Amino acid sequence: MNAPTPPSHEAALEPHNFDAVVVGGGPAGLMAAEVLAQGGASVHVFDAMPSVGRKFLLAGKGGLNLTHSEAHAAFASRFAARQPQIEPMLQSFGGPQVCEWAQGLGVQTFVGTSGRVFPSDMKAAPLLRAWLQRLRAQGVQFHMRHRWQGWAEDGTLVFAGPTGAVHVRASAVVLALGGASWARLGSDGAWVPHLTERGVSVAPLRPANCGFDVLRADAPTGETRRAFLQELIGRTPAPAVGWTPHFTERFVGQPFKTVALRFTDSQGRSFQRRGEFVATATGVEGSLVYAASHLLRDEIEAHGHATFHLDLLPDHTPERVLVEVRHPRGSRSLSSHLKSRLGIDGIKAGVLYEHLGKDGMNDPVALAHAIKALPVTVVAARPIDEAISTAGGVTFESLDEHLMARALPGVFFAGEMLDWEAPTGGYLLTASMASGRVAGAGALGWIRSQKP
């Protein structure tokens, strides 16, 4: 799985000024390095980890989702409020260009049933290995285990290296340090104060594509329940957050399959989609939840909780469900009846019992309604380090069209450091690489403009 660790060139550091320095060896940083090297710049990549692309490799563990095959307009719409900033990048490096780029590295791709695009072997390591080989052939040099510490008083970049502090001066710098999720892989958000101290605007980092903690079904109801929810705002979740022990023991880690999630926030923004997700020890996570996570997170931040509705049988009309629930069951148990008439068992039956209790389960109208619109209240996003990605970061308003900081001439930004978010499905990776290309081209133009 692990790609080869690029060689370090420690001895060449301090005596030289470089054309271009890229800080961060993820897809955005590597793409910036590629554009710079192809333009003839001398490029040095620095990364705090022992090898590059660690989050990239982790993302490919279950099959690397490179991009998505949907049309450009639909693809660009996935970036919501930041579509105006991201769409121009995608016009020059969107889904089709990602596939061409991979093929240029000898990696063929295919489109899955969901429209997602994968390497033919589903693996990340061969692609990363081929990419690093090409970068090294283009003259890119890598310096691993160098953690960026900001700038010294003389304007040089400061790194904590294996043998101590290292100072580097460069004509252009591309920062591609990621957000703040999965800190053990290198993205820890430690760069924020280094930038704000120098006048770069940074929106607070928040979890994106994340799981949520649910309000336990036996929490207080009515006015007391509302007071309880208000009490949770700004506090660590109370013991009443999470599933009941009965549900936890039986269903944690199991998926809700073939369901639909519907949510409308207090501003009228709506989400409705079919898919699947997983029950966790404290709540919910998985692709369907991730797709709605930005709306759920924002609603929780504004009001302390968010309630979405689950349709456990999206292929059945409410009328049919009610008819089947009311169908005489004779001597059969309710569980057997639901399984035989509607195919509801396992975790779907479990979550109905969790919500309705014994009395509610024996009320045909309440049961039929819950099957088609089961309310699930979430009260907290999971910690940012558990999130797949992050929202927030360097604001586009503080950058020019080349992703250069207005407050820091010659310093460019790419990837998850920027203030944008997108759902999983290839959108994150594509936009990260596209922004890396824009930042790399901007840095190359800056270098050329500084030469006599």
Side-chain angles (χ1 to χ4, degrees), residues 162-236:
T163 59
V166 175
H167 290 246
V168 175
R169 190 181 302 279
S171 298
V173 176
V174 177
L175 297 179
L177 290 154
S181 61
W182 292 87
R184 64 184 180 85
L185 300 178
S187 302
D188 57 10
W191 48 265
V192 172
H194 299 314
L195 299 181
T196 56
E197 289 169 1
R198 293 197 164 233
V200 178
S201 174
V202 180
L205 297 176
R206 301 181 292 162
N209 292 297
C210 58
F212 294 87
D213 294 335
V214 300
L215 179 66
R216 222 164 82 173
D218 56 3
T221 59
E223 291 298 322
T224 306
R225 182 185 178 92
R226 281 193 286 274
F228 173 78
L229 287 167
Q230 291 171 354
E231 188 179 356
L232 281 175
I233 299 175
R235 293 181 50 185
T236 302

Side-chain angles (χ1 to χ4, degrees), residues 49-352:
M49 305 306 289
S51 57
V52 300
R54 293 202 160 197
K55 194 173 180 181
F56 180 78
L57 289 171
L58 181 67
K61 191 172 183 181
L64 179 64
N65 183 191
L66 272 174
T67 187
H68 202 286
S69 63
E70 66 185 0
H72 174 79
F75 196 114
S77 72
R78 305 297 185 181
F79 298 88
R82 285 306 189 184
Q83 180 177 343
Q85 290 80 24
I86 300 296
E87 186 168 10
M89 304 181 196
L90 299 175
Q91 288 175 344
S92 59
F93 198 77
Q97 290 80 15
V98 170
C99 294
E100 291 173 8
W101 169 82
Q103 290 167 7
L105 290 169
V107 175
Q108 300 301 310
T109 61
F110 73 94
V111 180
T113 55
S114 65
R116 300 183 180 196
V117 178
F118 301 88
S120 56
D121 62 2
M122 300 290 288
K123 297 178 181 178
L127 188 150
L128 180 58
R129 187 177 298 111
W131 195 4
L132 293 177
Q133 289 173 349
R134 185 164 75 183
L135 289 171
R136 286 196 292 267
Q138 292 169 340
V140 177
Q141 298 188 48
F142 294 85
H143 310 277
M144 309 315 300
R145 295 186 174 88
H146 281 74
R147 184 173 296 277
W148 184 54
Q149 305 288 293
W151 289 271
E153 291 184 4
D154 63 359
T156 56
L157 297 164
V158 181
F159 296 89
T163 59
V166 175
H167 290 246
V168 175
R169 190 181 302 279
S171 298
V173 176
V174 177
L175 297 179
L177 290 154
S181 61
W182 292 87
R184 64 184 180 85
L185 300 178
S187 302
D188 57 10
W191 48 265
V192 172
H194 299 314
L195 299 181
T196 56
E197 289 169 1
R198 293 197 164 233
V200 178
S201 174
V202 180
L205 297 176
R206 301 181 292 162
N209 292 297
C210 58
F212 294 87
D213 294 335
V214 300
L215 179 66
R216 222 164 82 173
D218 56 3
T221 59
E223 291 298 322
T224 306
R225 182 185 178 92
R226 281 193 286 274
F228 173 78
L229 287 167
Q230 291 171 354
E231 188 179 356
L232 281 175
I233 299 175
R235 293 181 50 185
T236 302
V241 170
W243 305 106
T244 61
H246 177 82
F247 185 90
T248 300
E249 290 170 5
R250 290 162 177 77
F251 301 114
V252 164
Q254 293 190 25
F256 287 93
K257 292 187 175 182
T258 318
V259 297
L261 187 155
R262 184 178 72 255
F263 175 67
T264 300
D265 69 9
S266 55
Q267 299 180 42
R269 297 182 298 175
S270 295
F271 174 91
Q272 185 167 348
R273 189 175 302 174
R274 293 176 57 152
E276 62 181 68
F277 64 94
V278 174
T280 67
T282 61
V284 293
E285 69 175 20
S287 59
L288 188 56
V289 172
Y290 298 157
S293 63
H294 65 294
L295 295 178
L296 296 172
R297 179 200 63 215
D298 291 352
E299 188 75 359
I300 291 170
E301 289 177 355
H303 300 285
H305 65 281
T307 299
F308 62 83
H309 290 84
L310 275 184
D311 184 345
L312 299 176
L313 295 175
D315 292 325
H316 292 55
T317 65
E319 294 77 15
R320 178 185 172 188
V321 171
L322 182 58
V323 167
E324 297 294 353
V325 169
R326 281 178 164 168
H327 190 277
R329 57 187 172 99
S331 61
R332 289 185 303 177
S333 67
L334 179 59
S335 295
S336 297
H337 178 68
L338 290 175
K339 183 176 181 180
S340 64
R341 302 299 303 185
L342 291 168
I344 287 180
D345 62 351
I347 194 170
K348 288 186 177 181
V351 78
L352 288 169

